[in-house]
Amino acid sequence: MSEDQLADFERRIAHLESRIDTAAPRRLPKSPSLTTAATSMLRQAKEENRLGTVGYVGAARLAGGENLWDRQLALAELLSADWAPVAAILESLGSRPRLALLAALVQQGRCTSIDLQESLGGDCEQTTSGQLYHHLRALQSARLITQRRRGEYELAPQATIQVLTILAAAFDLANDPPLGPPADLPNPE
């Protein structure tokens, strides 16, 4: 390489380096807004004269690997569903110890019964092995967890996405301020 070529190369590099603002960190472009997707779903429902669609999306890097999901369900289908299996799943989730067990399985992946017993730690009433197995059986019968080997459990792979979505929605219900004015309830006369 000649000295002129080397000098030209160095000038180009210096020019490129001067264009980089090292004071401001480079920001990745924002992902499309979920509001944009919901607006599109509403527009489609109006065009097709349907009730609409309920959807959920997410991304997670968990012990079992990376998960991406994008699910949609027609509102008419959801509202006409058989609620018995839905109620059974929601009932199995309706306990603090079971939620603690699910959280441990989400965070750690596969866990032994000893690990799960420790995840219940501070709740003295729920730390007996009998109570632990009672909760594990309820989560198993709802098909939310599986037993790989004796005394070893994991979140059911087919339930990971849905469990995280249910937990996120319940968290929002418990913590978000109410939207709009309070609804007037009918008088129970």
Side-chain angles (χ1 to χ4, degrees):
M1 181 179 276
S2 72
E3 286 187 36
D4 289 340
Q5 288 175 322
L6 182 59
D8 183 49
F9 184 65
E10 288 174 341
R11 264 193 315 278
R12 287 179 170 183
I13 290 175
H15 176 71
L16 289 173
E17 287 176 339
S18 71
R19 293 177 56 192
I20 297 173
D21 182 8
T22 57
R26 183 171 174 247
R27 294 179 187 247
L28 296 174
K30 286 189 174 183
S31 59
S33 165
L34 294 178
T35 304
T36 303
T39 303
S40 174
M41 291 163 68
L42 182 59
R43 187 177 334 105
Q44 183 179 2
K46 286 179 182 177
E47 288 171 1
E48 297 174 5
N49 196 25
R50 294 184 329 181
L51 290 175
T53 304
V54 174
Y56 52 98
V57 299
R61 294 176 58 224
L62 304 171
E66 294 180 349
N67 293 277
L68 289 172
W69 62 92
D70 172 3
R71 301 286 301 263
Q72 294 183 28
L73 185 62
L75 195 52
E77 184 181 343
L78 177 64
L79 296 176
S80 65
D82 174 13
W83 294 107
V86 175
I89 289 172
L90 292 175
E91 285 174 13
S92 73
L93 292 171
S95 123
R96 273 200 261 166
R98 292 179 195 163
L99 293 174
L101 293 171
L102 287 173
L105 291 168
V106 167
Q107 291 172 353
Q108 299 171 33
R110 201 171 287 167
C111 293
T112 66
S113 53
I114 294 168
D115 297 331
L116 293 171
Q117 185 83 27
E118 289 173 5
S119 73
L120 298 177
D123 195 350
C124 295
E125 293 178 15
Q126 303 299 329
T127 57
T128 68
S129 60
Q131 283 293 326
L132 172 67
Y133 289 110
H134 166 75
H135 294 306
L136 290 172
R137 277 192 303 275
L139 293 170
Q140 280 181 289
S141 59
R143 299 180 318 157
L144 300 176
I145 66 170
T146 60
Q147 185 174 9
R148 295 305 244 172
R149 289 186 275 167
R150 184 176 170 94
E152 190 174 275
Y153 299 86
E154 68 183 357
L155 194 60
Q158 76 278 2
T160 302
I161 293 164
Q162 291 83 350
V163 166
L164 291 172
T165 303
I166 290 167
L167 294 177
F171 180 85
D172 286 346
L173 279 171
N175 293 294
D176 284 353
L179 299 175
D184 289 329
L185 297 177
N187 193 357
E189 292 178 348

